[in-house]
Amino acid sequence: MSLQLFNTLTRKKEEFTPLKEKQIGMYVCGVTVYDYCHVGHARAAIVFDTFYRYFQYLGYEVRFVRNFTDIDDKIINRANEEGIDWQEVNRKYISAFYEDMGKLNIAAPTVEPKATDHIAEMLDMIQSLVDQDKAYESDGDVFYSIKSFKDYGCLSRKNIEDLQSGARVEVNESKRDPLDFVLWKRSKPGEPFWESPWGPGRPGWHIECSAMSKKYLGDTFDIHGGGKDLVFPHHENEIAQSCGCTGKQPVRYWVHNGFVNIDKEKMSKSLGNFFTIREVCKKYHPEVLRLFLISSHYRSPIDFSEKNLEDATKVLSRFYEGLAGARRKTAKLNKESIPNFQEKVKNHPLTQKFEAAMNDDLNTAVVMAHMNEELRNLNTAVLGKGESSLEDLAVATTAWETAGQILGLFFLTPEEFEKELFEIKNQERNLDVSKIEELIAGRKSARQAKNWAEADRCRDELTEMGILIEDTANGTEWKLK
């Protein structure tokens, strides 16, 4: 099955065919750096990181561009609130962004441009639109005239007449039409500014992405991504100004992820119902958050709750336990000695199911179901049940692990995961690890001496501490309930 993507522009799944064979140009709208990232930002980052990983798995050379909006009213306001320079706000929250993305195992894009480094490119686009009478200056501001673009509303399916009569449109007497949007904003006293043919000012939000995507990916490129909330007006306006400048459709496939909801409302800073990534990662492992956010199809809304995160923790723990068991079972096996090993992995039933699901508009929810099913098979083989050989187990484990890694999972060893999970869970309990290990060692000695009462006492004390223990061929293993 060829790769199918849902295109917001056409409202249907389409076969994905890049402009250049085996090369993909992808632009994803990044964050405005005035605050810490919340779980909604995490979802967008994880969705397009998964796209990026899967395209590379398919053998594409991907030029992935994700920008920073580093000049904006919100940044200026935050600088005033904190009593620091606006550039210091940028440095603070870009650094925080990288910390958060690192926790979530987000791969670095090819290019990460900042808006303020591309003022010249924005001015060139704005001048082109003014020269073509598609934009106009008014008292130091420059606006795009939506009447100059007959297809305005093509992405969002919004009717211009309805928008013009809508109460939410901001009244601005300097505009010729209430829907015209700003390309260049005249600076106010004390605000950062850049010189332009229309006086000192700074760029509007929408022109930033058009200029940066054009510079790094050309007049037309393959994929433009972002959250569903960006369809209108941001991406609608990008199409208008890019088409107005070049006469070409800028993007072939528009891809948008769904919202993260709390009590059926979109998580957002404006509603005040958001949780930052760093807040969540104090209580839950970052990889748990990643698994939770890929457990639903990327276009579907997803409900954020403690129960769902607890369920995701249990799933990921089972995954790592299964991986640990399979690795131990096959530890002495040299995979390179297995004839056609990689071909066998490629032809494994899980690999085939994984690719079929991912080719169907990156349906990670179905992939998760297949991985859960295959985990049962792995556990059966590890226990020596069934007819699987060690070679079969090695092939199945690699197929299963590869699928998980393309989803951004298993970037730790099982031992590292258990250690980090314990540290997070133990923040509230503050258990003494040395005491736990002392009780386990005491239980072992008591069992060897056939002092069953003392062995039971040690086990009961561990149970009271919330510790689960399991006797394995490699000794007694323990974890928090």
Side-chain angles (χ1 to χ4, degrees):
M1 176 183 174
S2 60
L3 177 61
Q4 306 284 313
L5 293 182
F6 184 87
N7 190 345
T8 306
L9 186 64
T10 60
R11 294 294 195 275
K12 63 181 181 182
K13 289 182 189 177
E14 298 177 0
E15 181 176 350
F16 176 69
T17 307
L19 281 167
K20 298 178 181 178
E21 187 176 359
K22 285 299 177 183
Q23 294 182 34
I24 294 175
M26 181 169 72
Y27 185 95
V28 175
C29 289
V31 295
T32 301
V33 285
Y34 73 100
D35 206 345
Y36 296 113
C37 291
H38 58 63
V39 176
H41 296 132
R43 189 179 197 192
I46 288 168
V47 163
F48 292 103
D49 181 66
T50 306
F51 270 91
Y52 187 30
R53 290 170 185 271
Y54 187 59
F55 289 148
Q56 291 175 313
Y57 168 81
L58 293 178
Y60 288 104
E61 178 187 336
V62 187
R63 186 167 174 79
F64 177 19
V65 183
R66 184 186 65 207
N67 75 296
F68 287 110
T69 293
D70 60 342
I71 184 64
D72 183 87
D73 288 341
K74 294 173 182 175
I75 293 170
I76 295 170
N77 292 339
R78 179 53 57 93
N80 293 335
E81 288 170 9
E82 297 189 7
I84 58 177
D85 183 78
W86 65 276
Q87 291 173 310
E88 182 60 30
V89 172
N90 288 335
R91 287 190 288 270
K92 175 180 177 178
Y93 290 109
I94 287 176
S95 176
F97 173 86
Y98 283 128
E99 288 177 14
D100 292 339
M101 294 303 110
K103 289 176 184 175
L104 297 174
N105 194 28
I106 304 295
T110 317
V111 188
E112 293 182 274
K114 297 176 185 175
T116 55
D117 291 336
H118 298 79
I119 301 296
E121 289 83 359
M122 297 175 207
L123 291 173
D124 286 344
M125 286 193 81
I126 297 169
Q127 186 65 64
S128 173
L129 292 167
V130 170
D131 292 343
Q132 297 178 66
D133 293 325
K134 295 173 180 176
Y136 58 92
E137 185 269 341
S138 177
D139 196 23
D141 294 327
V142 181
F143 296 99
Y144 182 93
S145 173
I146 65 155
K147 288 182 179 177
S148 70
F149 186 56
K150 63 180 179 59
D151 292 328
Y152 193 81
C154 61
L155 184 68
S156 61
R157 299 289 201 277
K158 290 185 180 293
N159 182 283
I160 291 180
E161 292 181 1
D162 291 342
L163 288 171
Q164 288 173 327
S165 61
R168 290 189 294 175
V169 176
E170 182 183 352
V171 175
N172 188 325
E173 293 180 359
S174 62
K175 294 182 182 182
R176 295 175 186 172
D177 186 294
L179 289 183
D180 290 350
F181 57 88
V182 68
L183 300 171
W184 186 258
K185 300 174 70 171
R186 181 183 58 179
S187 61
K188 297 174 184 176
E191 289 185 345
F193 66 88
W194 289 262
E195 294 297 339
S196 81
W198 314 283
R202 53 191 168 90
W205 176 35
H206 313 301
I207 196 68
E208 295 177 4
C209 289
S210 284
M212 287 185 281
S213 62
K214 182 177 185 294
K215 175 173 181 176
Y216 293 104
L217 298 174
D219 292 348
T220 302
F221 54 95
D222 296 303
I223 296 172
H224 195 318
K228 188 178 178 182
D229 55 325
L230 298 181
V231 173
F232 186 87
H234 185 50
H235 289 165
E236 193 73 72
N237 291 349
E238 274 193 65
I239 292 174
Q241 61 200 9
S242 294
C243 283
C245 184
T246 67
K248 303 173 184 177
Q249 276 288 342
V251 178
R252 301 179 71 238
Y253 302 87
W254 287 90
V255 180
H256 295 92
N257 64 273
F259 296 139
V260 177
N261 292 336
I262 296 180
D263 295 329
K264 298 182 180 179
E265 273 195 313
K266 170 199 165 190
M267 181 184 290
S268 70
K269 287 194 172 81
S270 60
L271 294 174
N273 65 344
F274 67 94
F275 294 91
T276 66
I277 294 170
R278 49 193 55 208
E279 285 173 337
V280 174
C281 290
K282 286 179 181 177
K283 291 187 66 177
Y284 300 96
H285 195 282
E287 200 167 332
V288 166
L289 179 58
R290 179 153 189 149
L291 182 143
F292 163 67
L293 291 171
I294 60 172
S295 63
S296 295
H297 189 275
Y298 76 88
R299 286 191 286 115
S300 302
I302 189 168
D303 293 319
F304 181 87
S305 69
E306 289 204 2
K307 180 185 182 304
N308 287 340
L309 286 171
E310 291 290 352
D311 289 345
T313 300
K314 292 173 184 175
V315 171
L316 189 58
S317 294
R318 285 201 308 270
F319 278 8
Y320 267 113
E321 286 168 9
L323 185 59
R327 284 180 175 176
R328 282 197 298 266
K329 189 81 171 182
T330 59
K332 295 180 180 179
L333 192 66
N334 181 5
K335 293 179 181 179
E336 294 180 1
S337 67
I338 300 174
N340 305 314
F341 180 76
Q342 292 302 331
E343 185 179 340
K344 288 177 180 178
V345 171
K346 184 72 176 173
N347 293 324
H348 189 274
L350 176 63
T351 304
Q352 300 300 305
K353 291 175 183 177
F354 165 75
E355 291 183 0
M358 293 293 277
N359 284 341
D360 184 17
D361 195 29
L362 254 74
N363 199 331
T364 56
V366 171
V367 172
M368 293 293 294
H370 290 321
M371 289 185 67
N372 270 301
E373 180 182 359
E374 184 61 25
L375 178 61
R376 289 192 287 272
N377 296 333
L378 289 177
N379 288 338
T380 298
V382 168
L383 292 172
K385 300 176 181 178
E387 299 178 358
S388 296
S389 66
L390 275 183
E391 289 189 0
D392 291 336
L393 178 58
V395 169
T397 302
T398 301
W400 189 78
E401 190 173 0
T402 299
Q405 288 176 339
I406 292 163
L407 299 181
L409 306 176
F410 310 143
F411 53 93
L412 298 171
T413 65
E415 295 75 22
E416 288 170 337
F417 173 74
E418 283 299 329
K419 181 175 183 290
E420 291 185 8
L421 189 63
F422 170 79
E423 289 171 353
I424 292 168
K425 286 183 175 182
N426 195 37
Q427 287 181 88
E428 295 179 358
R429 304 187 199 183
N430 196 27
L431 296 173
D432 184 348
V433 176
S434 61
K435 176 67 174 176
I436 295 169
E437 292 175 345
E438 180 183 316
L439 285 167
I440 289 172
R443 175 177 174 267
K444 180 181 177 182
S445 297
R447 282 162 62 92
Q448 289 172 341
K450 296 185 179 181
N451 185 349
W452 308 120
E454 175 62 14
D456 288 345
R457 187 198 68 77
C458 292
R459 186 181 194 111
D460 290 344
E461 189 170 344
L462 288 164
T463 300
E464 288 175 10
M465 294 170 70
I467 303 299
L468 292 173
I469 61 173
E470 181 182 1
D471 296 316
T472 73
N474 295 304
T476 301
E477 297 180 352
W478 64 272
K479 63 182 178 179
L480 289 180
K481 287 183 181 177

